[in-house]
Amino acid sequence: MLETGSGRTSFPSWNQLGLSREELYLEGTLFSGQSFRWSEHDGEFVGVLRSHVYSLTYDAKHQVIFRCLETVQKAPLDPDGDITSHREVLLEFFNGDVDLQGLAAEWRHRDENFAAKLPRFCGLRTLRVEVLEAIISFICSSNNNIKRISLMVERLCALFAENRIPSVTLHAYYRFPTLPQLATVTEAALRSIGFGFRAPFVVQAVEKLLDLGGVPWALALRREEVSREEARQALQQLAGVGPKVADCICMCSLQKHDAVPVDTHCWQLIRRDYLEELRLAASLTAKRYEQIGTFFRQRFGPWAGWAFMHLFAAELTRFKPERTQAHASPAPSAPRKRQLCGRLKSDTLPVRSIYFSADTTESEPNGSPPVT
């Protein structure tokens, strides 16, 4: 449960985001491992974007609503302008201008397997995470799981007390460190907060990123004229970034919507439901990795990464049955959603999952896998 701090007895009021439950499935989107800075509190989803702490949920009409939990305003508050600014930040993060329902209708006709799984995951969107946060977070995802990645990212942010965001809650929230701040963090410091064998990769990646031109260099990869393959090759100059991690960054930050990160779940899915010739394959090689990505792009087109997310989410087993209520409303008496997206029922909706990081092993790997 969210608790107020700083002497406050109430939270800010709710505001409409402009998306419905059918257009934005908060639980699936925020807990599918695209971003690691969100937590759930009695149906509210709280996280940090840029320098803001946001809480999101659904109202009684199943519309997404939000509020900003900061306590300090840098300038006199203009209610209309301030709300509009926050709404723009959130809609950009959720890629709110993408017609997901239209895309899903097209994919449903192309692929029976997708059509069968869509009702449970309609509204699952692909995010636009800040590029530096995405790079560091996905480097941390190697041989890891969502819970631990989130803890590592939170501990990294907490190294910089000056980045704390004053909020109405008792929990401490921090902005993600800047690149110059990250450059001051040593390998020993990262190991002390649980980064393990990933610590030197982070240090080396930060150093290389500075040499390449910093965040502006990475942001330039988001330009439309830069292809997914070009962006992926550029990212692999950074320590700890192989094809899979690069595809994660491309899909979840750089707006390369045709990127398909292939992990254990995807490897199982493609062999079981699509490519029979891979069923007896012993391992995921670099050649097979490319074959799988090409297959999904040919099947689903330029937005293949978004379609893949639905298929991928259906493979995940780390769901908690006691938390299957799809969208708790701030009003206790609000009616529950009974049907959305055809056969979608609130009782069938998953909440938490592992994404691109199913291996929970904490030890340092003995060797380098063919695809990282």
Side-chain angles (χ1 to χ4, degrees):
M1 177 182 296
L2 284 174
E3 296 182 83
T4 58
S6 304
R8 296 194 56 145
T9 58
S10 62
F11 287 99
S13 59
W14 292 100
N15 305 279
Q16 293 289 331
L17 181 60
L19 294 172
S20 69
R21 165 61 186 80
E22 292 180 288
E23 297 167 313
L24 174 55
Y25 169 24
L26 286 170
E27 297 91 336
T29 301
L30 294 174
F31 293 112
S32 56
Q34 302 181 65
S35 174
F36 303 94
R37 307 212 62 198
W38 293 85
S39 57
E40 189 269 337
H41 307 269
D42 293 336
E44 289 187 41
F45 300 89
V46 182
V48 177
L49 293 180
R50 302 180 185 177
S51 298
H52 308 294
V53 182
Y54 292 108
S55 177
L56 300 102
T57 189
Y58 301 101
D59 66 12
K61 296 181 178 180
H62 313 293
Q63 299 295 307
V64 181
I65 53 178
F66 73 93
R67 55 187 177 184
C68 187
L69 302 182
E70 293 140 63
T71 59
V72 177
Q73 297 291 338
K74 295 181 179 180
L77 179 63
D78 174 1
D80 293 333
D82 192 66
I83 292 172
T84 299
S85 176
H86 289 308
R87 183 179 292 111
E88 290 173 351
V89 168
L90 287 164
L91 288 174
E92 180 180 89
F93 176 67
F94 287 112
N95 280 307
D97 59 337
V98 175
D99 179 15
L100 178 56
Q101 290 178 300
L103 289 171
E106 179 182 346
W107 298 327
R108 185 171 57 237
H109 292 299
R110 291 189 186 186
D111 189 273
E112 292 182 358
N113 188 37
F114 178 90
K117 295 174 180 178
L118 175 62
R120 289 190 293 144
F121 298 101
C122 77
L124 197 162
R125 309 184 75 86
T126 298
L127 299 173
R128 188 191 311 207
V129 180
E130 291 291 299
V131 66
L132 180 60
E133 179 181 331
I135 290 172
I136 301 302
S137 297
F138 284 116
I139 289 176
C140 294
S141 70
S142 177
N143 291 330
N144 216 341
N145 61 72
I146 276 190
K147 183 177 180 180
R148 191 164 186 272
I149 298 168
S150 300
L151 180 61
M152 291 164 63
V153 172
E154 183 173 1
R155 287 175 174 173
L156 176 63
C157 295
L159 289 178
F160 301 94
E162 65 271 26
N163 288 356
R164 182 167 180 173
I165 306 171
S167 76
V168 298
T169 74
L170 296 178
H171 184 79
Y173 294 98
Y174 299 86
R175 299 190 303 275
F176 195 83
T178 64
L179 189 57
Q181 285 178 322
L182 289 173
T184 68
V185 181
T186 65
E187 180 181 333
L190 291 173
R191 287 186 180 275
S192 72
I193 58 174
F195 274 60
F197 71 88
R198 307 164 195 87
F201 294 150
V202 172
V203 171
Q204 294 166 27
V206 168
E207 292 174 350
K208 184 64 175 180
L209 189 53
L210 285 168
D211 291 342
L212 290 170
V215 173
W217 171 83
L219 284 174
L221 301 177
R222 190 179 279 173
R223 299 197 308 264
E224 290 187 13
E225 60 266 28
V226 179
S227 69
R228 171 193 54 82
E229 184 57 34
E230 290 171 330
R232 191 172 75 153
Q233 291 299 322
L235 289 168
Q236 289 181 77
Q237 298 178 71
L238 304 177
V241 179
K244 186 192 75 172
V245 170
D247 277 333
C248 291
I249 299 168
C250 282
M251 185 180 75
C252 301
S253 178
L254 296 182
Q255 300 292 90
K256 308 305 178 187
H257 304 300
D258 59 341
V260 179
V262 181
D263 75 335
T264 300
H265 292 296
C266 181
W267 176 237
Q268 295 171 346
L269 162 70
I270 196 76
R271 290 189 298 167
R272 185 192 67 230
D273 296 339
Y274 292 101
L275 299 180
E276 293 185 4
E277 64 269 28
L278 294 181
R279 287 183 181 177
L280 298 180
S283 62
L284 175 62
T285 64
K287 181 179 179 180
R288 289 167 182 157
Y289 185 103
E290 295 303 320
Q291 178 185 359
I292 293 169
T294 299
F295 171 83
F296 279 116
R297 282 183 280 276
Q298 291 175 345
R299 175 63 61 96
F300 294 108
W303 295 80
W306 286 58
F308 164 76
M309 276 296 303
H310 291 71
L311 298 174
F312 176 87
E315 294 298 299
L316 303 175
T317 57
R318 290 178 64 91
F319 299 125
K320 298 183 178 180
E322 67 273 16
R323 299 179 66 240
T324 53
Q325 183 178 354
H327 40 64
S329 168
S333 60
R336 296 177 64 186
K337 189 70 170 181
R338 289 298 178 188
Q339 188 170 354
L340 291 167
C341 294
R343 291 174 294 154
L344 176 65
K345 295 182 180 179
S346 62
D347 303 80
T348 66
L349 288 172
V351 175
R352 288 190 182 274
S353 58
I354 292 296
Y355 183 51
F356 308 139
S357 50
D359 190 343
T360 59
T361 302
E362 302 297 341
S363 59
E364 188 163 350
N366 295 321
S368 299
V371 179
T372 304

